[in-house]
Amino acid sequence: MSIITDGRLQRLWADAQQHPEWATTRLWGHIFNRLVFTESKWVVSSQQPPTHQPGELRRVGLIVEEIDSCADTVGTLLFVEAKRAGASPRDITEVEYQAFTAACAYYVETGIKRLWIMTCVGSRARLWIFDEKSTYLIPYVPLGDGLAAIDEYLEISTHGTTLIEGLKFCKTHMRPPNDLLERTSASPRPVNATLPSSWHDNEVTIVDSQRRS
């Protein structure tokens, strides 16, 4: 079912069909703030670094964090990476790998072993699980096993409520639970993935070496 229920969402959706990544990020930022992460403890930020290391140049499209009432504890719930509508399979491979490398970097810095991931292509999106024991992203919504497969991304004008339900499950489960990992397995890591020029994947090698040790 569609979640486009007013003129504002219709305009944001339309802009995301014809403009670059900024329109995709704007659309999903609005959805997060108005439909999902509406409580004050949630902070949705754009263009944030995946780590707090000095000199970090990488930026994640959107990050959802939970900050407690005393502002003492900050926990990252979700990393979101985005591409424009009509992105090629090569571009979708890049955005999925970019999200994976961000999760690896966060794990290396914090030791947090699981994280929710979302990749967006315009008004289509897919939810994933990062687990430090898995070689790549684990599909969550929808399950499927395709990589860079736009047909496995859910469009909010037809399947938006399914995505919202998935996000609300993430919201109530700060870390992906064990039973989800028992139902599905990680997708194979692509061998031809590239990254934007400002990105690196050094932490992927670190995570791989820890997994094999």
Side-chain angles (χ1 to χ4, degrees):
M1 185 179 296
S2 176
I3 60 168
I4 303 174
T5 56
D6 59 32
R8 186 175 294 107
L9 267 167
Q10 179 63 46
R11 173 58 186 268
L12 294 173
W13 181 90
D15 283 352
Q17 309 313 308
Q18 56 184 323
H19 295 301
E21 282 83 357
W22 63 262
T24 297
T25 302
R26 183 177 66 162
L27 169 65
W28 287 102
H30 179 77
I31 290 170
F32 282 8
N33 283 313
R34 298 297 183 183
L35 301 182
V36 186
F37 301 104
T38 56
E39 299 87 351
S40 60
K41 68 178 182 178
W42 298 107
V43 177
V44 180
S45 308
S46 63
Q47 298 303 310
Q48 299 297 302
T51 76
H52 293 167
Q53 297 300 314
E56 175 68 273
L57 298 177
R58 296 171 293 181
R59 295 293 181 267
V60 176
L62 288 169
I63 294 180
V64 180
E65 298 170 294
E66 181 182 22
I67 301 180
D68 68 11
S69 58
C70 298
D72 293 328
T73 303
V74 179
T76 296
L77 173 77
L78 176 71
F79 279 171
V80 181
E81 289 288 8
K83 286 292 184 183
R84 66 178 300 161
S88 68
R90 180 185 179 93
D91 290 334
I92 302 173
T93 298
E94 177 183 290
V95 80
E96 291 172 356
Y97 186 62
Q98 187 174 345
F100 174 68
T101 63
C104 287
Y106 183 75
Y107 163 63
V108 169
E109 181 177 61
T110 66
I112 294 174
K113 298 179 180 181
R114 290 180 190 165
L115 188 69
W116 298 106
I117 299 293
M118 183 173 176
T119 52
C120 307
V121 180
S123 54
R124 292 174 174 257
R126 192 173 190 186
L127 288 164
W128 311 80
I129 296 168
F130 166 82
D131 179 76
E132 52 93 18
K133 294 181 180 178
S134 296
T135 56
Y136 202 53
L137 298 175
I138 300 170
Y140 170 46
V141 177
L143 290 177
D145 57 5
L147 291 176
I150 193 61
D151 289 344
E152 294 194 12
Y153 278 63
L154 299 184
E155 163 59 49
I156 63 169
S157 65
T158 54
H159 295 82
T161 53
T162 302
L163 282 166
I164 295 300
E165 288 169 5
L167 285 165
K168 288 182 176 178
F169 181 88
C170 298
K171 189 171 79 166
T172 56
H173 297 78
M174 190 70 178
R175 301 294 164 224
N178 289 332
D179 63 317
L180 286 185
L181 275 69
E182 293 168 358
R183 297 179 204 168
T184 186
S185 57
S187 299
R189 190 183 302 173
V191 297
N192 59 343
T194 58
L195 288 169
S197 59
S198 58
W199 276 73
H200 64 79
D201 57 358
N202 300 349
E203 293 90 352
V204 175
T205 302
I206 296 172
V207 175
D208 284 344
S209 64
Q210 291 179 352
R211 188 186 308 111
R212 290 192 293 264
S213 62

